[in-house]
Amino acid sequence: MRLNRILLSTTLVVVALVIQVSVLSRLHLPGAVPDLLLLTVLGLAMVYGHVGGCLVGFGAGLFADLAPPADHAAGRYALVLCVIGYLAGLIKPETGQVKSATGPMAVVVAAAIGSTLLYAGVGALVGDTAARHVGLPGLLISAAVYDLLLAPFVVPGIMALARRAENDPLAETGSAAKKADISSGWLSSGTGLRIGGQRGALGGLKVKAARSRTARAGRIKGVKRL
């Protein structure tokens, strides 16, 4: 990963983890806890692709495994977010821009359910049966609902920051085109004519001037002959 990706991803992951631990986990909501760290990984993965998403997910999950008050085996959430980041990066748009919010919202729901199932499955392999006592169906529904409600406020901003840090040529092209439109708008508003109309008018004036010069030369020649 490039240096700007590493710096931005580390900053966003640390901020998301601090908010996750200090604010969201203390809300005592029924069922699961809104997973801000998961949404951060999804936003970065849909810009960086599957390789970048896999690396960001692994690093974010490892931070979550080591940050207090973690009470599970280290590497468990790293594995979950690594897989989720890889899969989310596979749906990265080829053009680099998302045309509709339906796709990302579906990804958020699938990631919330998939991460909960994968986390519970890995826990069952290592002997952690806490998900059974809490109730897995309730965790799945609450995780999907909470993350879906939080996603519109997190994922678009994360993706915008990632694209800006990437110096996306699409964004530069769009801004250049916008500047061109603004400049043409200023010209048309100041003169009352469009640029194309000005060029057409100038061309017409040149043709009329050439015709008048030709006619004048013809009259002069006729006078000399007389």
Side-chain angles (χ1 to χ4, degrees):
M1 293 180 69
R2 290 182 292 182
L3 182 60
N4 57 346
R5 288 189 177 187
I6 296 175
L7 293 176
L8 179 63
S9 301
T10 304
T11 303
L12 292 176
V13 166
V14 171
V15 171
L17 183 59
V18 170
I19 298 175
Q20 180 84 30
V21 174
S22 60
V23 178
L24 297 179
S25 61
R26 298 184 180 182
L27 294 178
H28 301 292
L29 297 173
V33 177
D35 200 338
L36 183 61
L37 197 60
L38 174 65
L39 298 179
T40 302
V41 172
L42 290 178
L44 293 174
M46 285 189 284
V47 176
Y48 294 158
H50 60 282
V51 176
C54 179
L55 296 175
V56 171
F58 178 79
L62 191 59
F63 282 163
D65 289 331
L66 300 177
D71 56 352
H72 55 267
R76 181 176 172 183
Y77 202 48
L79 174 62
V80 173
L81 289 187
C82 179
V83 174
I84 295 299
Y86 178 84
L87 295 177
L90 291 176
I91 65 165
K92 174 187 175 182
E94 295 181 358
T95 59
Q97 294 182 351
V98 180
K99 297 180 180 180
S100 175
T102 304
M105 292 299 102
V107 172
V108 169
V109 175
I113 296 175
S115 62
T116 304
L117 288 174
L118 187 57
Y119 186 83
V122 175
L125 292 177
V126 298
D128 185 3
T129 59
R132 295 181 182 178
H133 299 292
V134 176
L136 189 57
L139 287 177
L140 293 175
I141 296 174
S142 58
V145 171
Y146 294 154
D147 292 348
L148 187 60
L149 293 176
L150 190 61
F153 305 99
V154 178
V155 176
I158 296 294
M159 295 180 69
L161 289 174
R163 287 197 186 100
R164 181 171 296 182
E166 286 286 290
N167 295 323
D168 193 354
L170 291 176
E172 295 178 359
T173 304
S175 61
K178 186 176 180 181
K179 290 179 180 178
D181 293 339
I182 293 174
S183 62
S184 62
W186 274 104
L187 290 173
S188 62
S189 62
T191 58
L193 296 173
R194 294 182 179 179
I195 296 177
Q198 290 178 346
R199 292 177 179 175
L202 291 175
L205 291 176
K206 289 180 180 180
V207 171
K208 291 181 179 179
R211 290 178 178 177
S212 62
R213 286 196 297 269
T214 303
R216 187 180 302 172
R219 288 197 298 267
I220 292 173
K221 290 181 179 179
V223 171
K224 288 182 178 181
R225 289 176 181 177
L226 293 174

